[in-house]
Amino acid sequence: MMTDRSMVRSLGTEPPILADGYRAPDRREISLRWLSGTFLTGITSCILMGVALFAALDGRQQLAIPAEAYAATGDPAADPDLKSVSRGGRLLGPKIAARPVDKAILEVSTVTHDGEREVVRRQPFAHVKMKLAMNYKTQENYPAFDPLAIFAADEKVAPGAVRTGTIYGSDVESEVSLKTTAFPVSGSTTPFAGGMSFDEVEENVRTNGSVLTDGSTQVAALYYIDPQRFDSDAGVDIAAGLAARVVEQNMSVAEPEILTPETPEYADDVLPVRSPQPIEAVLMAAGYPKSKAGDIARALEPHAGGSELAEGDVLRIGIIQRGEEARVVRISLYRHRGHVVTLAVNDAGRLVGGEEPPPLDAVAGAFDENAPQMPSSARDLPRVYDGIYRAALSYGMNRDMTALVVKLLAANVDFQAQLKPTDTLEAFFSVEDENGEATDESELLYVRARFGDTVTTFYRFQNPDDGSVDYFDENGKSIRQFLLRNPVPNGVFKSGFGMRRHPILGYSRMHTGTDWAAPRGTPIIASGNGTVEKAGWDSGGYGNQTLVRHANGYVTSYNHQSAIAKGVKPGATVRQGQVIGYVGNTGLSTGPHLHYELIVNGTKVDPLRVRLPGGKSLEGETLAKFEAERQRIDALLTSGGKPPEMASN
């Protein structure tokens, strides 16, 4: 080891020698501490750059994803593999917003037509709001994704119009039958009664004056006659109670509140604890800010027996949300399924002791393994198609109704895409009883679907002119496409519209359609509703050909078919999605495919590029009736289906 004397000799004790005016470095001025620090700084920088480069290139799958896409680990007591928490796992259950609007059964007055009569009765309807990214568990199987089955699904709409009817504008307590007849304007075969004398009229008023009321409201005041003339022992007060409404004692009538995005909305946030954790950590893991979590933790410590929560505890946080602002107004702690304490915010903004809130299913089933949970990772989210079916079946919708929803959304939604945590589906449909389960008699009245930034809304409406039932958006435009661009949903695009070298003739010529390759016998569906103009062999090279005429001068042509479907013949009516033929190799063709053409006013156009008109739009008086129906549905969903409530003074 170098001694102090040797180090001094090595570094030197004499001033440096100057040469040519330049000052040589003075080794005595070199700091070993600075040199070591510089060296360590360089090594640390290289390590950090390597870590960042690894995360950017090879570790991108480990980047953070939205917090709501995580779920809790399972119960360690039930699953031995979960006794030790792995990296990325969470000790807390997911945030379950137990909102009462998730599913509600509404008693709604509807009117149906029974011959010449209109029958008004109350029927139960289910209003559901579903978060599609949850892991719903259902015992009912659903069909695998098949684009052909989606477009070719049958709809039972005609009988539904009689079963469900339309929303009635008023609330009724029991079934009411109405019959409307035209006022007779021509001569009547019934003889008219003789005229009454003045004394007879006066006697009738005396006799019937006591029944000229409708409940508590008098329907005939008769101010044009002197009331004193009818003063009798019966004591009929004609001028009393002209517009009075009798209500129960200590009750007042309140108008329903119109809900807006700024209307305060109450929700319960249920946080189950699956492992001992500090109260503050439980709240922060659920998304609460540190300051708010600390305040709640300090308020609960005296009642929880310390700063930590035990395994099996449940926190129930009451929140009032107004727009983007959320405020905690109540905190409840449950231990071993029993209520421990409830703290509520008073008018001064302080937490004080309160009574236990009404029971909530989300608290009782907080540790229920069958309850829907958010997948552990955004990569584990199902496809849109699977998410719709699982959620709908779990909320009481049947397979036929769910298939209808899928079909109506097919024009705007990619069912093969992966769900996002924010994707939701809202539906309003008729049910048989308070259990909220749809049956074959149930009808779908309203759907609002959000996928990413796209929102699709449509309403069911029966056209009074022809009795047809269809679904329209909020502007009265049909939700269905006028024409599908691909009549072979399982086909593969092979050749487009334009000039090309013909594979058989050997020279360039115009290709007047699009080619969709598929195995021989693959079903071909009609692009839209229309009438068959031709169904048979074409001598010009098209082989088995079908021509369908649609509205407004549109004609679709299906060529090279191996066979034409049964019942498809000239004059027959076909509907969109109906199977009209099968892929083949007839005519001038080098392999099984469909040559599909679109003809507009006699000119062949590119089916993939032409701007197609939307579905039919309602106009005039029919549009006004649809808007009235839409407003009634919106009002029902906004108010929860309740008439003006009776509020206590």
Side-chain angles (χ1 to χ4, degrees), residues 339-353:
H339 176 256
V340 176
V341 67
T342 291
L343 303 175
V345 178
N346 61 10
D347 294 339
R350 298 181 179 179
L351 281 173
V352 297

Side-chain angles (χ1 to χ4, degrees), residues 300-342:
L300 282 179
E301 283 181 7
H303 309 279
S307 61
E308 288 198 357
L309 295 176
E311 179 182 352
D313 289 352
V314 177
L315 280 180
R316 177 179 174 182
I317 313 296
I319 302 172
I320 290 183
Q321 185 166 346
R322 183 196 299 270
E324 299 297 329
E325 178 187 359
R327 181 166 57 94
V328 175
V329 295
R330 187 172 63 194
I331 308 162
S332 298
L333 173 62
Y334 297 84
R335 180 163 292 169
H336 305 301
R337 296 184 179 271
H339 176 256
V340 176
V341 67
T342 291

Side-chain angles (χ1 to χ4, degrees), residues 14-93:
E14 299 298 328
I17 299 176
L18 301 179
D20 296 333
Y22 293 97
R23 184 175 182 271
D26 188 354
R27 289 183 296 171
R28 292 173 299 181
E29 296 180 357
I30 297 176
S31 172
L32 295 178
R33 181 180 301 173
W34 170 84
L35 183 62
S36 301
T38 303
F39 178 79
L40 293 177
T41 301
I43 294 297
T44 305
S45 300
C46 293
I47 294 175
L48 293 177
M49 292 175 62
V51 171
L53 186 62
F54 173 78
L57 297 179
D58 298 330
R60 62 170 62 97
Q61 70 274 12
Q62 299 175 4
L63 296 178
I65 59 178
E68 64 267 24
Y70 284 99
T73 60
D75 186 0
D79 191 350
D81 296 335
L82 297 176
K83 290 189 179 296
S84 61
V85 181
S86 61
R87 178 184 179 187
R90 290 181 58 185
L91 299 179
L92 304 175

